[in-house]
Amino acid sequence: MPIYKAPVEEVLFLLNDVFAIARYNNLPGFADVTPDVLEPILAEAAKLAEEVVQPLNLPGDREGCTRHADGSVTTPKGFKEAYKQYAAGGWMGISSPAEFGGQGLPGTMTTIINELMVSANMSFAMYPGLTQGAIAAILKHGTAEQKKAYLPKLVEGRWTGTMNLTEPHCGTDLGLLRTKAVKQGDGSYKINGTKIFISSGEHDLAENIIHLVLARVEGAPAGIRGTSLFIVPKMLPNADGSLGARNAVSCGSIEEKMGIHANSTCVMNYDGATGYLIGEENRGINAMFTMMNEARMGVGVQGLALGEVAYQNAAAYAKDRLQGRALTGAKFPDKPADPIVVHPDVRRMLMTMRAHNEAARALVIWTSLQDDVAHRSADAAERQAADDHMGLLTPVIKAVLTDQGFANAVMAQQIFGGHGYIAEHGMEQFVRDARIAMIYEGANGIQAMDLVGRKLAKDGGRALQAFFNEAQGYIKSHDNEAMKPFVAPLGGALAHLQQATMWLMQNALAKPDNAGAAANDYLNLFGLCALGYMWCRMAEAAQAKLAAGANERMKAKLITGRYFMERVLPETAAHLARIQSGAGSLMELPAEAF
Ligand SMILES: Cc1cc2nc3c(=O)[nH]c(=O)nc-3n(C[C@H](O)[C@H](O)[C@H](O)COP(=O)(O)OP(=O)(O)OC[C@H]3O[C@@H](n4cnc5c(N)ncnc54)[C@H](O)[C@@H]3O)c2cc1C
């Protein structure tokens, strides 16, 4: 059986030593996460993840979800009880406002806890994950009545949520969608259409499911600007909040798929279902983006979470599996062979996974703190700067962390050799589960286009400039012997990013294919710089802790950081070279040649 240990000490290091969470005490909710509260919350979440949720991961994958003749769906054995514990613990609404039954803690806490739950069991964690997206959309765009009717139940976990965008003929290009909404005399709408690939669309964990459905109001303009978002409850709530009639929405089938077998991916049929507009007509895209930005960060965290659990299993196996002898002579002469952790090629994979995971977690926490500032600060300038940061970093986190999460799962599987390919150890499940995160919530190629096509130039490049200013300012103010192995390589990587940005400015406006051809490399180049900057921040904090006393974890941290700087960050040069080669050979073949 695979193992999992929640990285609580890592999280505490990041919150306390790297990002000094106490500095944010002026924001609502932050004063409540004093160290004496933070540690027990994380310990509780770790216990739930390790002892309740994780043991269901492998059996849940084997059993999968079952759709019955009446359209109902049952989740694998144990899921219902585990979900009950999750909801009873208040985890769903840990960051939701107290007026709706939440605990009002920083959103950063939810992000951190979600990493733990996904590592333990990605399929399970998706049920609450989508609910949190629905809560965010209703909070931001719902009327006071809608908030009162839906939020307390969703926050309590008594009801769950979904996001219904995709249709058979449209995924990326949602402007093509056909699901129709017709306004009724009472202000509600009748919804007709079919949605596919809807995660957690039908299940037995909660008494009601609140679908957020993107549809086109009769007579609306074509394209994405003619779409509106609707709340479509599975069970229509009565005025007193109790459950009323069954709505005309049903699960037509569940998809047979590569991974996340214990999460029900449903075809959802809307046959004249009653829906309630959320936000304004034809402005569905706004509400949808609230949900999608939330979900994109969440999916980035899935990449990190699977990369972490895969690493933990590979590291344990590498210390246990005896094969061959170290190149420098037997390290364990009393054993028939050395453990494979002595081999440099196995180390390469372990160090690559570890160096990425530690920086990725820092990037997620840094950005989540900015998200909290964007939502909770009283200072408009501070809110804007934080919002800029979020806009710029969200596609990077979504794509870079999920690509690496999958790469980590494959490397971890490789460390198991043939035992990673067979099902027994659970490593092939990590590979299968990690794969979807690169595809949904906007395939990673779309994230790259979002970064290059929208985010770079937005507001005259203000967000990118702020990132450069911060990283370059950091390099200048940390130009000392101890920090040189970190800030010098970061300086080189940032120079590559600057050259790539200049090249795009000079070559992409007149030739948009140059932007499209560069997008994936630019996103990865940006991601490496962001992760490199995180390593600088962590190295500084680790050096300070070491100066205060011996600390094996901090010594290991600095070695891992050096590995990233020496062996991962140099990839920026290859990305730059590819960007500067332009769209030429990439676009030259006519479509018929493929
Ligand atoms: C298991 C699973 C769960 C899902 N959960 C949900 C859910 O809960 N709710 C929901 O609404 N949807 C969900 N989806 C759908 C998912 O979000 C879509 O599959 C995804 O957005 C891609 O859409 P598509 O499959 O139609 O691919 P397409 O849009 O057909 O894209 C195919 C390929 O072409 C590329 N491409 C397309 N257009 C462009 C362009 N302009 N520039 C560059 N490249 C482009 C894409 O990057 C992709 O690689 C889920 C899917 C799966 C498999």
Side-chain angles (χ1 to χ4, degrees), residues 2 4 10 99 151 161 217 232 235 250 296 345 369 379 401 419 459 474-475 499 507 512 558:
Y4 175 60
E10 274 296 307
E99 63 173 307
L151 289 178
V217 176
V232 185
M235 308 298 294
S250 58
R296 284 178 177 177
D345 191 58
L369 287 167
D379 180 321
L401 270 54
H419 299 273
D459 303 310
Y474 184 92
I475 292 172
Q499 287 172 56
N507 296 281
L558 289 172

Side-chain angles (χ1 to χ4, degrees), residues 215-301:
R216 194 181 298 286
V217 176
E218 213 180 18
I224 195 72
R225 310 237 162 257
T227 58
S228 308
L229 194 68
F230 297 88
I231 296 175
V232 185
K234 171 179 162 184
M235 308 298 294
L236 291 163
N238 295 318
D240 65 358
S242 61
L243 292 184
R246 175 73 205 243
N247 204 356
V249 47
S250 58
C251 166
S253 61
I254 49 179
E255 307 287 356
E256 288 291 322
K257 57 190 192 290
M258 176 178 175
I260 51 166
H261 287 148
N263 189 270
S264 53
T265 308
C266 301
V267 172
M268 298 302 298
N269 296 322
Y270 293 86
D271 301 310
T274 300
Y276 307 100
L277 183 68
I278 174 166
E280 293 171 43
E281 261 190 24
N282 300 335
R283 302 291 295 273
I285 179 93
N286 289 2
M288 193 186 80
F289 266 116
T290 301
M291 225 171 12
M292 280 189 3
N293 280 333
E294 185 98 353
R296 284 178 177 177
M297 271 295 286
V299 173
V301 170

Side-chain angles (χ1 to χ4, degrees), residues 10 13-14 304 308 311 315 347-362 404 408 485-486 489 528 531-540 542-543 546 551-570:
E10 274 296 307
F13 168 69
L14 290 168
L304 161 64
E308 170 69 28
Y311 164 76
R347 289 294 185 108
R348 170 186 64 77
M349 294 186 274
L350 288 172
M351 290 302 288
T352 302
M353 287 188 261
R354 179 179 175 138
H356 270 286
N357 288 342
E358 292 183 19
R361 186 172 298 107
Q404 193 60 42
N408 280 9
F486 298 94
L528 284 167
L531 295 172
Y533 176 48
M534 292 298 97
W535 266 117
C536 289
R537 300 280 301 264
M538 288 193 288
E540 181 192 2
Q543 285 171 1
L546 269 176
N551 184 328
E552 287 312 310
R553 282 187 65 246
M554 291 302 117
K555 281 186 202 157
K557 176 77 64 189
L558 289 172
I559 293 167
T560 309
R562 264 187 29 238
Y563 177 89
F564 186 90
M565 293 297 174
E566 291 167 8
R567 298 187 66 109
V568 181
L569 201 57

Side-chain angles (χ1 to χ4, degrees), residues 4-8 11 41-47 49-50 53 110-121 125 301 305 361:
Y4 175 60
K5 177 106 182 68
V8 172
V11 168
I41 293 177
L42 290 174
E44 262 317 294
K47 195 163 170 242
E50 293 166 6
V53 179
T110 293
T111 308
I112 290 167
I113 287 158
N114 285 351
E115 183 205 320
L116 273 45
M117 296 302 159
V118 176
S119 281
N121 189 331
V301 170
R361 186 172 298 107

Side-chain angles (χ1 to χ4, degrees), residues 298-322:
V299 173
V301 170
Q302 289 181 339
L304 161 64
L306 284 177
E308 170 69 28
V309 69
Y311 164 76
Q312 288 189 15
N313 281 278
Y317 189 78
K319 287 189 282 185
D320 191 49
R321 176 74 174 167
L322 306 180

Side-chain angles (χ1 to χ4, degrees), residues 126 130 162-174 195-200 255 257 259-260 263 265 436 439-446 449:
M126 285 175 70
L130 282 143
T162 71
M163 183 170 78
N164 284 239
L165 313 178
T166 307
E167 297 182 7
H169 62 288
C170 77
T172 302
D173 190 355
L174 289 170
K195 297 285 181 181
I196 62 165
F197 300 166
I198 304 309
S199 299
S200 318
E255 307 287 356
K257 57 190 192 290
I260 51 166
N263 189 270
T265 308
I436 185 57
I439 297 172
Y440 59 19
E441 246 0 284
N444 285 357
I446 302 305
M449 287 304 291

